[in-house]
């Protein structure tokens, strides 16, 4: 056993150095684990932040798209309403035009009948028509009222 005691001055510092190295290794390991955990936590937070940003961006785009679609649908409905209103107005105007053409043809025919009667009753020619209707009457001399109805 004495040989063990004689090695004590050598073994004491050696075991002390092993103890210090072991303690340093444990502190290093604990620090490394803490750093790894902090790094993973940081990466998780960055990933969560990125996912939140992407989700917020897509949500904004979706809301913008929905708003644009709603606005487009509203504009389409307004345009369709205006289109229907214009179609009704066109139909009314076309009917009025047909009525005016019928009235004009009937008036021209009536004027021709009156001119014929005046010509038969008087010795002179019938009076000249006013400038505003002279062209219509000239067209009507080629055929009477029934020829102009449309």
């Amino acid at each position: 056993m004495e040989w063990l005691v004689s090695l004590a001055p050598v073994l004491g510092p050696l075991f002390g150095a092993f103890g210090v190295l072991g303690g340093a290794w444990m502190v290093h390991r604990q620090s490394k684990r803490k750093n790894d955990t902090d790094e993973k936590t940081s990466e998780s937070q960055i990933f969560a932040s990125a996912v939140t940003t992407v989700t917020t961006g897509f949500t904004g785009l979706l809301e913008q798209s929905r708003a644009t679609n709603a606005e487009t649908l509203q504009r389409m409905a307004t345009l369709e309403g205006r289109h229907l209103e214009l179609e009704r107005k066109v139909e009314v105007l076309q009917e009025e035009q047909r009525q005016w053409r019928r009235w004009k043809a009937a008036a021209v025919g009536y004027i021709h009948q009156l001119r014929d009667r005046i010509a038969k009753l008087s010795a002179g020619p019938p009076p000249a028509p006013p400038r505003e209707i002279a062209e219509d009457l000239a067209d009507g001399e080629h055929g009477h009222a029934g020829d102009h109805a449309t």
Side-chain angles (χ1 to χ4, degrees), residues 38-60:
D38 289 347
E39 186 178 330
K40 286 180 183 178
T41 302
S42 175
E43 286 176 3
S44 297
Q45 288 174 347
I46 290 171
F47 179 74
S49 175
V51 168
T52 302
T53 302
V54 169
T55 304
T56 303
F58 279 130
T59 302

Side-chain angles (χ1 to χ4, degrees), residues 10-123:
V10 174
L11 290 179
L14 188 62
F15 283 123
F18 280 138
V20 168
L21 287 175
W25 178 73
M26 290 187 72
V27 167
H28 170 71
R29 196 172 117 193
Q30 181 180 11
S31 175
K32 186 174 187 300
R33 281 187 182 171
K34 184 180 181 300
N35 288 341
D36 289 347
T37 303
D38 289 347
E39 186 178 330
K40 286 180 183 178
T41 302
S42 175
E43 286 176 3
S44 297
Q45 288 174 347
I46 290 171
F47 179 74
S49 175
V51 168
T52 302
T53 302
V54 169
T55 304
T56 303
F58 279 130
T59 302
L61 287 174
L62 183 61
E63 288 173 0
Q64 184 180 8
S65 175
R66 285 180 181 162
T68 302
N69 287 341
E71 185 177 323
T72 301
L73 288 175
Q74 183 180 11
R75 286 181 181 172
M76 287 297 295
T78 301
L79 289 175
E80 286 175 355
R82 288 180 184 170
H83 179 72
L84 292 174
E85 182 180 336
L86 288 175
E87 281 182 343
R88 282 191 296 271
K89 286 181 180 179
V90 166
E91 289 173 0
V92 166
L93 290 174
Q94 287 174 339
E95 182 57 34
E96 286 178 5
Q97 187 179 33
R98 285 190 288 272
Q99 288 174 353
W100 277 104
R101 285 181 181 165
R102 285 192 297 269
W103 181 87
K104 178 182 168 184
V108 168
Y110 183 68
I111 290 171
H112 279 292
Q113 288 174 4
L114 291 176
R115 286 179 58 117
D116 290 345
R117 281 197 183 176
I118 291 174
K120 287 179 186 176
L121 293 176
S122 74

